[in-house]
């Protein structure tokens, strides 16, 4: 028994010593391995953090502060009448400049009708989304018209959220807003920046024949990036189809679209898009820098320089677009009235200089 007890006491000590020795050797080996790999792990961590950072904005992306009296007046009216503007909902950097007007007094406001909640969720847009937005306000056409009359604007842009939840997707309501504006302010120039109405030509017809002056529908980006940038229900070809159809039913209005740059598109892809737009006789195109509204949205791949924007303007004009607005802070409706009116004046000047074509009038455009 004594031998047995002694043996039992020694066995654990011997195995414990062996176990500790093996464990220490293994730990030392792991420590050395980690030490050797330390620089690689550090480099990986730095790269990971860098990839998640938002690109710093360059010096040329500076907007006019929203402090003018005209801005304050428009802002108060929007609040008092319970209206929504895409300028605010989409966090547009140009709200101070557009609402404030310019030296010639031209101010532009973009009213967003049919509520402030969209049924689609594009990766670049900060407008609220829901499958079941609140009902449309039937009194909105009257309130919008009263607001525009009070502001004394000479050009207004109407846009809307998508309303896929409604049978007519809001097309009749859009038409009512336009017709009411024209009834109350006959000389007002109206641009409608519309949804695609899922390509339904009957619904597009309702809006395109309501008396508007410019029918706008944005292609947003090049074909390759469309599935990533836009909601799955939107489509590159569908946008082209909408703009082409408008030309067949209203030859008096201008068609217009907008392209965001800085999402990873190539020069050849932009040229292809411009070619596709000219093939269906789109009149006006605008180029602007994509700006990430929140960390949840698509990251900016590149900040395009003002010089490059100017190159795109020259190239697009050479392709036959009637007017091109191109710059880092240009948006689809950015200072739309000023751009449109200046271009119209240039057309009149060309006419007086010997152009034999019929001179366009503000009433007929």
């Amino acid at each position: 028994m004594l031998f047995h007890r002694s043996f039992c006491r020694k066995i654990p000590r011997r195995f414990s010593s062996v176990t500790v020795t093996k464990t220490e050797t293994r730990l030392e080996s792991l420590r050395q391995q980690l030490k050797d790999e330390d620089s690689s792990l550090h480099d990986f961590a730095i790269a990971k953090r860098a990839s998640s950072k938002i690109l710093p904005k360059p010096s040329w992306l500076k907007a006019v502060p929203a402090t003018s009296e005209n801005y304050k007046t428009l802002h108060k009216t929007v609040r008092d009448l319970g209206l929504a503007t895409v300028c605010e909902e989409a966090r547009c950097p140009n709200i101070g400049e557009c609402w404030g007007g310019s030296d010639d007094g031209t101010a532009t406001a973009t009213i967003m009708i049919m509520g402030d909640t969209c049924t689609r969720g594009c990766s670049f847009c900060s407008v609220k989304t829901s499958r079941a937005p609140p009902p449309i306000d039937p009194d909105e056409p009257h309130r919008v018209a009263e607001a525009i009359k009070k502001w004394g604007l000479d050009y207004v842009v109407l846009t809307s959220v998508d309303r896929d939840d409604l049978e007519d997707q809001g097309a009749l309501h859009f038409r009512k807003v336009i017709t009411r504006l024209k009834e109350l302010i006959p000389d007002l120039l109206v641009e409608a920046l519309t949804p695609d109405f899922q390509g339904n030509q009957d619904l597009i017809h309702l809006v395109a024949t309501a008396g508007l002056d410019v029918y706008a529908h944005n292609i947003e980006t090049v074909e390759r990036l469309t599935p990533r940038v836009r909601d799955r229900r939107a489509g590159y070809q569908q946008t082209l189809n909408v703009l082409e159809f408008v030309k067949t039913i209203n030859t008096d209005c201008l068609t217009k679209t907008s392209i965001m740059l800085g999402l990873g598109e190539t020069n050849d892809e932009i040229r292809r898009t411009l070619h596709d737009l000219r093939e269906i006789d789109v009149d006006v195109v605008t180029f602007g820098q994509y700006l990430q509204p929140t960390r949840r949205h698509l990251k900016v791949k590149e900040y395009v320089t003002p010089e490059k924007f100017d190159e795109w303007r020259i190239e697009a004009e050479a392709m036959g677009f009637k007017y091109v607005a191109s710059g880092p802070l240009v948006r689809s409706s950015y200072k739309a009235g000023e751009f449109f009116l200046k271009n119209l004046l240039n057309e009149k000047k060309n006419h007086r200089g010997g152009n034999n074509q019929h001179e366009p009038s503000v009433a007929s455009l």
Side-chain angles (χ1 to χ4, degrees), residues 347-361:
E347 287 186 4
K348 288 183 176 182
K349 187 184 296 184
N350 291 337
H351 173 77
R352 288 193 294 269
N355 190 333
N356 293 323
Q357 295 181 350
H358 174 67
E359 180 178 356
S361 66

Side-chain angles (χ1 to χ4, degrees), residues 56-63 93 289-291 303-304 306 309 327-329 331:
K57 291 180 181 178
S59 59
W60 59 77
L61 284 174
K62 291 184 179 180
Q289 171 70 54
Y290 166 65
L291 297 175
Y303 284 114
V304 181
F309 274 107
L329 289 176
R331 292 295 176 266

Side-chain angles (χ1 to χ4, degrees), residues 232-341:
R232 60 179 176 78
R233 287 161 288 187
Y236 183 86
Q237 188 58 50
Q238 184 161 273
T239 292
L240 294 175
N241 292 344
V242 170
L243 292 166
E244 183 176 25
F245 177 66
V246 170
K247 280 290 188 181
T248 68
I249 57 175
N250 187 348
T251 57
D252 291 331
C253 80
L254 298 177
T255 50
K256 175 181 174 182
T257 197
S258 182
I259 304 172
M260 296 181 291
L261 302 184
L263 287 163
E265 65 287 333
T266 67
N267 289 343
D268 286 342
E269 287 174 324
I270 297 170
R271 290 190 182 96
R272 178 73 251 177
T273 302
L274 292 173
H275 175 78
D276 291 343
L277 293 169
R278 285 305 302 138
E279 282 286 300
I280 58 171
D281 199 28
V282 170
D283 299 296
V284 179
V285 64
T286 68
F287 296 92
Q289 171 70 54
Y290 166 65
L291 297 175
Q292 183 181 359
T294 74
R295 289 183 177 271
R296 295 183 298 104
H297 293 83
L298 282 175
K299 289 182 172 60
V300 177
K301 297 290 186 181
E302 176 191 9
Y303 284 114
V304 181
T305 66
E307 291 76 17
K308 186 62 178 177
F309 274 107
D310 203 45
E311 289 177 15
W312 283 122
R313 176 187 60 79
I314 293 169
E315 189 165 337
E317 287 175 346
M319 294 177 72
F321 288 97
K322 286 187 173 65
Y323 183 73
V324 182
S326 183
L329 289 176
V330 168
R331 292 295 176 266
S332 177
S333 54
Y334 169 63
K335 299 180 72 176
E338 184 169 317
F339 286 143
F340 178 87
L341 293 173

Side-chain angles (χ1 to χ4, degrees), residues 64-220:
V64 174
T67 56
S68 72
E69 289 303 315
N70 204 33
Y71 166 82
K72 293 174 183 177
T73 300
L74 266 65
H75 186 271
K76 184 177 186 303
T77 307
V78 166
R79 291 289 171 270
D80 291 346
L81 293 176
L83 301 175
T85 69
V86 75
C87 318
E88 296 173 297
E89 298 298 331
R91 307 184 185 191
C92 180
N94 303 309
I95 188 169
E97 190 170 1
C98 288
W99 287 22
S102 59
D103 293 338
D104 61 8
T106 302
T108 303
T110 303
I111 301 295
M112 188 165 71
I113 62 175
M114 299 196 285
D116 62 358
T117 306
C118 188
T119 53
R120 299 189 186 182
C122 295
S123 301
F124 66 89
C125 183
S126 65
V127 174
K128 292 183 292 186
T129 62
S130 172
R131 292 181 180 178
I136 288 177
D137 178 8
D139 192 47
E140 187 172 52
H142 173 73
R143 290 190 295 107
V144 169
E146 288 297 327
I148 301 305
K149 185 176 182 180
K150 184 175 182 180
W151 288 337
L153 300 181
D154 46 23
Y155 192 108
V156 66
V157 182
L158 299 174
T159 190
S160 77
V161 292
D162 283 270
R163 293 301 302 257
D164 301 285
D165 59 312
L166 302 176
E167 186 176 355
D168 73 344
Q169 298 169 57
L172 182 58
H173 185 82
F174 213 131
R175 181 184 179 90
K176 288 178 179 178
V177 175
I178 296 170
T179 54
R180 179 57 185 151
L181 276 169
K182 287 292 188 174
E183 288 170 359
L184 195 63
I185 320 166
D187 293 331
L188 179 70
L189 294 171
V190 177
E191 175 181 326
L193 175 57
T194 75
D196 59 20
F197 299 112
Q198 297 179 13
N200 186 315
Q201 292 186 348
D202 291 336
L203 303 182
I204 298 167
H205 189 280
L206 276 176
V207 178
T209 58
L212 48 73
D213 303 287
V214 180
Y215 192 108
H217 178 54
N218 288 344
I219 202 157
E220 307 293 7

